[in-house]
Amino acid sequence: MKNLLTLLFILVAVPSIKAETKPSSFIVFDQVATHRGDKQLYKNWDFQTRLATNPDAPTDWLAPETPFFDEGLYQFRVEVLRMERPLDSPLHIQFGWWNFPKDPVIRHIASPGIILTDLQPPSPGKPWVYEAVGTVRSLDGQHMYYGKGPNADKKAVDWDWRRAFGPNTAYTLVNPRDNDFDADHDGKITEAEYPDIEVRCIVTIHGPGSPVYESTAAREGGLAPSGGFVRRTIDTMIVAPWLKTVGDLDGDGQPDVVVGGAQAGGLVAYHNEGLHWRRQVVDSVRTFSTDGEVADLNGDGRPDIVAITHHPGAVVWYRATAEGFVTEEVLSETWHDVEVADLDGDGRLDLVGRNQKEWPAGDDNGNRLHLSWQRRDGDRLFWEETHLPCPPGEGLAAADLDRDGDVDLVVNGRWYENLGRRRFAERVYAREADWSHPNTSLAVGDVDGNGRLDIVVSPSELAGGRYKIAWFEAPKNRRQPGWRVHVVVPDVETVCHFVGLADFDGDGQPDVVYAEMTQGADDDEVKVMFNRGKITKAGLADDWQPFLVSVDGSHSMRVFDADGDGRPDLFGANWRANGRDEHVKLWLNRLASRALTLGR
């Protein structure tokens, strides 16, 4: 993001770039649109500010001097500079062109809209920023229409969009989506009913060879030039995005993401529409803590959201309905981790949570597991809570560790075998000499390919400490104390608040990924440790090859296939508002598969 912002500053600072220099990036327009709330909007409740395009822009983008834009990217940047007061209505912002010179038919082309919801007035000098990046050619079939006449609202498929750039043809459309602004029913829009708003809109086109084009690598089906990961920003408006989770909220087969802000921004669901993320505010009032899950709690076929709130701490169920989400508080307790699973085998999902050692709530320093059992009384759903003692610390995972058909629980150094009937037995997988750090992030998976689930552990707190990242090899008898320890990273700062397992390079062996939080010493690394170990009679001979994904860092990342290409991607954000980058991002996996070179 730092390099991208630097590039944007350079681009904006240069007033014009001659076409004959064949620039790799070109600002089409950069203007501020202002609307006064005491002036009536148009009858269709939107307003338009026509903007003069760059006078040096070519009028015919098919000309030989601009061939690179045929495969370029557009970048639409919106900065909400000023607002008189909060705006409850979703705000729809687009850029576009119409009324083309020497064209007898009025036609219209526009970008996909950016939807901003629950907007708050920005702090002076700190505008809300939103960006959308997409392929230029993706505009062709979706957002090109005739404006008037018998073909109005039909797609203008016979026209090439690149001929649209003429003098004074660009505009910014700012449209409040909820149109009930006439609160006193006098037929007029007043300043009291619609706030003044000032937004800056910058449109840049980037051709092959430009830093943005090469780093974004948005060419459909292409690989990033580095053969690495491509970073995409989903949102910049969540302040302190602590909560991150993933799940298919709308049942379309594509995983969606959910983010909650600990300071501002609310709980927001981002619906995956082919890597265009439709923003839905689930809760604009509460602030949110460090964990949440997507799961159909009541079995009605609609995925719900379970979220841990912040100040006050609570576990909240956002029950999905046909009309939206209905809020129900499960319990009023401070948790750090939450998992959702059918723990007692009754066919209903239960909750298990844990607080943490370093910032305890009362006497709860992560030394107990909170089990909330789902119960039914007719149509009424309620929860019964029991507790299970555990060593102080943080970190929680749920998995069928012993492969006996029920869900077990994993914490720092211990796992709890599910014996049925709400009973658990404590088992020790880590001897004190092999793992003593109480604050952990955990991942469960078959590291060595022997069919048994192993445990990966990273040190998650506090800044300034040093420890290791390790995995513990599950023996045939999982109840055996003291599993064999393997070191993945021998020395890291104890700020690795995420560790995960996934086969990132397609060679059939799961790799380890971890991320450092913002409070650690720079750089805040996100790294994949490629599993290059050979399987021997004695087991896996550890060989871990580091690959740097990013220096942006992250907190509580998630691993999932965001773009449906069969490769695991990364989703995350740093956790606090400290003047550093805490934007919500994806890192899309563009690694070439090693399976091809290995003959698999």
Side-chain angles (χ1 to χ4, degrees), residues 6-22:
T6 302
L7 172 65
L8 283 172
F9 174 79
I10 295 171
L11 291 172
V12 172
V14 179
S16 64
I17 304 175
K18 298 292 183 180
E20 59 267 25
T21 63
K22 295 186 178 181

Side-chain angles (χ1 to χ4, degrees), residues 394 437 439-441 458-462 494-497 517 519:
E394 67 180 53
H437 198 79
N439 306 310
T440 58
S441 182
S458 70
S460 57
E461 311 282 357
L462 292 163
T494 53
V495 291
C496 300
H497 205 280
M517 294 187 291
Q519 68 265 44

Side-chain angles (χ1 to χ4, degrees), residues 4 7-8 11-12 14-15 17 24-32 49 51-54 57 61 69 72-79 93-97 109-112 114 130-136 139 161 165 169-173 199-207 212:
L4 178 59
L7 172 65
L8 283 172
L11 291 172
V12 172
V14 179
I17 304 175
S24 58
S25 295
F26 200 104
I27 295 178
V28 180
F29 63 82
D30 176 2
Q31 294 288 336
V32 174
T49 302
L51 306 174
T53 56
N54 190 316
W61 289 61
F69 290 121
L73 305 177
Y74 71 83
Q75 180 180 19
F76 182 32
R77 178 180 173 91
V78 174
E79 300 176 0
I93 304 181
Q94 282 183 302
F95 72 89
W97 289 264
I109 179 174
S111 73
I114 287 177
Y130 198 97
E131 291 179 332
V133 177
T135 61
V136 166
L139 296 174
W161 74 270
F165 297 87
T169 64
Y171 70 86
T172 299
L173 173 71
V199 296
R200 179 186 180 191
C201 299
I202 307 167
V203 179
T204 307
I205 292 182
H206 304 281
V212 170

Side-chain angles (χ1 to χ4, degrees), residues 453-518:
L453 294 181
D454 309 301
I455 300 171
V456 186
V457 193
S458 70
S460 57
E461 311 282 357
L462 292 163
R466 310 296 302 186
Y467 207 66
K468 63 191 173 189
I469 297 175
W471 71 278
F472 289 84
E473 178 184 343
K476 290 182 179 180
N477 178 8
R478 304 334 182 263
R479 297 176 179 178
Q480 172 185 322
W483 299 3
R484 181 187 175 194
V485 63
H486 302 253
V487 176
V488 180
V489 184
D491 181 41
V492 292
E493 188 174 3
T494 53
V495 291
C496 300
H497 205 280
F498 165 75
V499 69
L501 268 175
D503 181 8
F504 287 96
D505 56 1
D507 66 353
Q509 297 193 122
D511 310 302
V512 172
V513 58
Y514 70 93
E516 297 176 328
M517 294 187 291
T518 185

